[in-house]
Amino acid sequence: IRHLFNLSMVARTPNFSNKLLRMVVTGWQISPIVRIQSAKEFTVTAGVDTALSGVATTGETANLVSPGGIYPANQSYSNWLNKAAFSTPPNGTYGNLGLNNIKGPGNFNVDMSLVRIFQVRERISLQIRAEAFNLPNWVNFSNPTSTLNSNLFGTITSDDSPRIVQLAAKIMF
């Protein structure tokens, strides 16, 4: 991943002397994590054993025939790559395309936790925690299908980060 930005923080509410404020506001902690990353790189493979090596075909790259036309003008999740820019290498040869040099979609993610600590006794406290991963439910697409002989070539069929929310309670002593 070429560019990656992570921002995390922990903020706590102050301890108030007023009894009502102390009961309602004191003891809260919020912890956001923001992650922004540039495109994930992947390899376009031929999908067949063109090198005639008898080894699994997952690693044999395709030929790049149009370096300027890899990405279509109207790029979308259903049309991420231009299939005409690639070809299957002739039998007995490897493809001319390198490994991990095609760019997939980027990623934006916000995770958040909200925690409250209740003091039960001098050495016993109760922690209530709510956590959300991908809080805004932003769609972060996976890399597209990159096997040249697939009917789904160049199509993104899944995303990387569904929203997950979890609640927890913990007694600390």
Side-chain angles (χ1 to χ4, degrees):
I1 298 172
R2 179 171 231 158
H3 299 105
L4 177 62
F5 172 80
N6 275 322
L7 172 69
S8 62
M9 70 175 236
V10 176
R12 298 188 83 175
T13 57
N15 294 329
F16 291 94
S17 58
N18 180 295
K19 186 175 181 179
L20 179 63
L21 282 175
R22 188 172 51 243
M23 287 176 32
V24 176
V25 182
T26 296
W28 288 97
Q29 175 179 303
I30 188 167
S31 305
I33 300 173
V34 177
R35 179 185 176 105
I36 304 169
Q37 70 183 39
S38 61
K40 296 169 278 190
E41 296 173 340
F42 64 97
T43 303
V44 173
T45 58
V48 293
D49 183 14
T50 58
L52 306 176
S53 63
V55 181
T57 61
T58 56
E60 292 185 17
T61 61
N63 275 337
L64 179 61
V65 294
S66 178
I70 295 173
Y71 308 102
N74 57 346
Q75 189 179 40
S76 68
Y77 70 91
S78 60
N79 186 29
W80 195 264
L81 294 174
N82 180 9
K83 191 170 187 171
F86 306 95
S87 70
T88 303
N91 283 336
T93 65
Y94 288 101
N96 65 4
L97 191 61
L99 298 176
N100 296 323
N101 57 4
I102 307 295
K103 292 181 180 180
N107 191 310
F108 173 79
N109 197 32
V110 177
D111 298 335
M112 182 88 64
S113 74
L114 182 63
V115 177
R116 173 76 194 264
I117 299 173
F118 299 93
Q119 198 67 39
V120 178
R121 293 218 168 119
E122 185 179 344
R123 293 186 182 190
I124 299 174
S125 58
L126 172 68
Q127 182 187 76
I128 305 295
R129 172 182 291 270
E131 296 175 324
F133 303 94
N134 191 13
L135 181 65
N137 205 22
W138 187 272
V139 177
N140 291 305
F141 293 113
S142 301
N143 284 333
T145 302
S146 59
T147 305
L148 196 56
N149 66 350
S150 171
N151 291 336
L152 295 174
F153 177 80
T155 303
I156 297 174
T157 58
S158 65
D159 66 85
D160 283 340
S161 54
R163 181 189 304 162
I164 298 170
V165 177
Q166 61 187 24
L167 305 171
K170 175 170 54 172
I171 297 175
M172 298 179 290
F173 55 93

